[in-house]
Amino acid sequence: MAACRSTGATSRRLLSFLSALLLCSSLAPLAVAYRPGDIVPMLRSGQYHSSRSVWFDVVGRHCPAFAVNREVLMPIPKPTGFTGADPYKITFQIGHEKFHVPWLYVINRKSSQVPLIDFHLKYSGNDLLGVTAKVVDMPHHYIAFAGLVLSFILAIYVLQSSQEKLTRFVREAVADSSLPEGGIAKVE
């Protein structure tokens, strides 16, 4: 009788374990599903002078957002030994290394304009189905806006690097303006 209860209890435990396993496996696709606005992870690698860099994680604010049409400015580091004479190309892996973007020429391509990489994510529901990317010329109004921003950043940098000289100039200007009109007289 004890053996029957033991076998029945074991089969119930096994059945509950299997049902829990089935439940967990059915939830797994939902765990990797994207919601609109979720950051789609991205890796980047570059090639210059036939030497490739390792894969680098792209910071979240520079990654595509799922089901959101947006533009980001992604800094691309200058390769070691860069002279500008040879082509520089980059590639991306998107969505937990699920999709690979072929090599894209960003320097020494056929156009002399500033490059812009245009990504298109293909999705259905909450699932990422594919990615395409191409290099296009950056629109001129982007370049003008970027020039204004870079000028502002440069002005702040110059002011910060000249802070000591600027402080000395202001002190001397204030000291000179607070002098009496006849100058300083020494009283003994």
Side-chain angles (χ1 to χ4, degrees):
M1 182 89 138
C4 278
R5 271 190 250 163
S6 172
T7 306
T10 303
S11 63
R12 275 190 298 247
R13 275 191 229 129
L14 183 60
L15 185 59
S16 65
F17 173 74
L18 289 175
S19 63
L21 185 63
L22 181 62
L23 178 65
C24 289
S25 66
S26 67
L27 292 177
L30 294 177
V32 294
Y34 293 102
R35 294 183 315 253
D38 282 353
I39 298 297
V40 179
M42 185 162 65
L43 299 170
R44 160 188 65 74
S45 179
Q47 181 174 324
Y48 184 72
H49 279 312
S50 299
S51 80
R52 291 184 181 172
S53 69
V54 296
W55 287 100
F56 293 100
D57 284 323
V58 176
V59 177
R61 66 177 176 225
H62 302 302
C63 292
F66 186 77
V68 175
N69 187 11
R70 72 177 188 156
E71 297 161 349
V72 296
L73 184 63
M74 179 191 303
I76 297 175
K78 186 190 299 186
T80 306
F82 180 75
T83 61
D86 295 323
Y88 178 51
K89 57 186 178 178
I90 58 176
T91 185
F92 298 91
Q93 289 182 357
I94 299 174
H96 299 290
E97 303 175 12
K98 187 175 180 182
F99 299 102
H100 181 82
V101 174
W103 289 100
L104 302 168
Y105 285 90
V106 290
I107 296 178
N108 276 358
R109 54 196 187 97
K110 292 179 180 164
S111 175
S112 62
Q113 298 295 318
V114 176
L116 177 115
I117 300 174
D118 187 16
F119 286 98
H120 289 274
L121 275 61
K122 297 173 188 162
Y123 62 93
S124 176
N126 293 340
D127 194 20
L128 187 60
L129 301 177
V131 177
T132 59
K134 63 182 177 180
V135 179
V136 296
D137 292 341
M138 186 176 289
H140 292 288
H141 65 277
Y142 284 8
I143 296 170
F145 177 71
L148 179 65
V149 170
L150 289 175
S151 299
F152 180 70
I153 291 171
L154 183 61
I156 290 174
Y157 175 76
V158 167
L159 286 173
Q160 285 180 340
S161 65
S162 305
Q163 185 175 6
E164 184 181 316
K165 292 178 184 176
L166 188 61
T167 304
R168 188 173 350 120
F169 172 76
V170 170
R171 269 194 231 129
E172 290 173 2
V174 169
D176 289 345
S177 66
S178 63
L179 291 176
E181 197 166 305
I184 299 177
K186 189 175 182 181
V187 179
E188 294 185 25

